[in-house]
Amino acid sequence: MRRLFIAGNWKMNMTAADAVKFISEIKDDLVAIENIDIAFCPTFLSVPAVSKALAGTSIGVGAQNMYFEPSGAYTGEVSPAMVAEFCQYVILGHSERRGYFGETDQGVNQKAKAALAAGLTPIICVGETLEQNEAGETTEFVSGQVANALDGLTGEQVGKLVMAYEPIWAIGTGRTASAEDANAIIGTAVRGTIENLFGSTVSEKVRIQYGGSVKPSNVKELMAKEHIDGALVGGASLKPSFVELLQNAL
Ligand code: 13P
């Protein structure tokens, strides 16, 4: 069975001082939660402080992005080895990076390969716009994103990574995909595509999160679905009630 994995994507929120204070307030409750893998993905500048605040626990730390080159003249970028010094995970291809910063499927693919080579677990995000959803293009579009992101990886590598299906229209809007719809799209466009490309042993292993307005009140229904193995949580991971969200998930 795939173990649930719930990660908080803090996006561009919380200074390092805010982050350490927040972790110290909820750490005891987090540590008491069993049978869920938990991680926080702070901004780069807060990553070392959060990693230190969580030392000695099984709670992971992830970055929200990285560059694929190992080092060199890339002003403003952070390399895989720099991320791996503090993190176990790295979010790649979040729709905000694709939408605001021009990230492409090809770039996500290069980053996925570099992250795996550095020993990181990529959390690769895919998801359609409202227009694509309403035009009935979701399955085709998301399948394409999955195939492009995983191009050239081995089945062994794919089995280790995490996918996150985040419909763009559900992010930060309070509007969640229904558990049935999310499960159906994850089952066909994400797990189904992986099965077609890498076989069922790999597709049964890979963990697939849902993201988009996950809250303490809707997490249980989503997590109960066959193909949903966790959540990538934005706004609700910035509040102490994230503990409640985690407690409600199983
Ligand atoms: P919200 O939970 O705020 O909708 O954000 C989801 C998300 O983008 C997580 O990566």
Side-chain angles (χ1 to χ4, degrees):
M1 273 310 288
R2 297 178 296 266
R3 195 176 148 94
L4 273 194
F5 174 34
I6 299 187
N9 173 11
W10 286 351
K11 309 191 179 182
M12 198 175 72
N13 294 291
M14 298 227 234
T15 63
D18 294 338
V20 169
K21 185 165 174 278
F22 179 67
I23 295 291
S24 74
E25 281 165 14
I26 61 171
K27 189 168 146 182
D28 290 346
D29 291 333
L30 292 175
V31 169
I33 293 167
E34 289 176 357
N35 301 320
I36 305 180
D37 290 337
I38 302 169
F40 289 99
C41 304
T43 65
F44 284 130
L45 283 171
S46 300
V47 157
V50 169
S51 162
K52 194 169 162 207
L54 292 170
T57 73
S58 60
I59 300 162
V61 180
Q64 298 172 15
N65 179 32
M66 55 160 233
Y67 196 48
F68 60 85
E69 291 286 2
S71 64
Y74 303 102
T75 301
E77 292 296 324
V78 173
S79 75
M82 291 168 188
V83 172
E85 203 174 2
F86 295 100
C87 297
Q88 299 77 47
Y89 303 98
V90 59
I91 299 172
L92 298 177
H94 192 280
S95 61
E96 287 148 18
R97 295 220 52 87
R98 294 176 189 258
Y100 299 135
F101 306 103
E103 293 218 9
T104 61
D105 280 355
Q106 194 208 1
V108 173
N109 177 245
Q110 282 173 300
K111 290 181 179 192
K113 287 174 181 159
L116 287 160
L120 289 160
T121 299
I123 302 173
I124 300 179
C125 302
V126 295
E128 81 288 0
T129 63
L130 185 60
E131 294 71 36
Q132 289 167 322
N133 185 281
E134 287 175 346
E137 295 166 4
T138 299
T139 303
E140 195 188 337
F141 179 74
V142 173
S143 300
Q145 283 186 315
V146 171
N148 290 335
L150 305 181
D151 186 42
L153 296 184
T154 65
E156 196 190 335
Q157 288 176 315
V158 175
K160 282 188 207 154
L161 55 72
V162 176
M163 300 295 302
Y165 168 62
E166 302 203 303
I168 295 171
W169 49 268
I171 296 178
T173 58
R175 200 176 147 187
T176 318
S178 73
E180 288 70 29
D181 287 351
N183 185 57
I185 293 158
I186 288 173
T188 53
V190 188
R191 203 178 303 286
T193 300
I194 293 173
E195 184 179 353
N196 290 341
L197 296 170
F198 299 96
S200 60
T201 311
V202 174
S203 69
E204 287 304 315
K205 220 191 267 178
V206 63
R207 290 194 289 184
I208 309 175
Q209 299 175 322
Y210 167 79
S213 299
V214 178
K215 303 174 268 226
S217 58
N218 63 17
V219 67
K220 196 178 183 70
E221 195 188 354
L222 287 157
M223 296 306 109
K225 292 291 177 195
E226 180 189 356
H227 292 295
I228 305 180
D229 309 316
L232 191 53
V233 184
S237 72
L238 295 163
K239 301 178 198 154
S241 57
F242 186 52
V243 169
E244 203 186 309
L245 186 155
L246 293 162
Q247 288 166 342
N248 291 353
L250 274 178

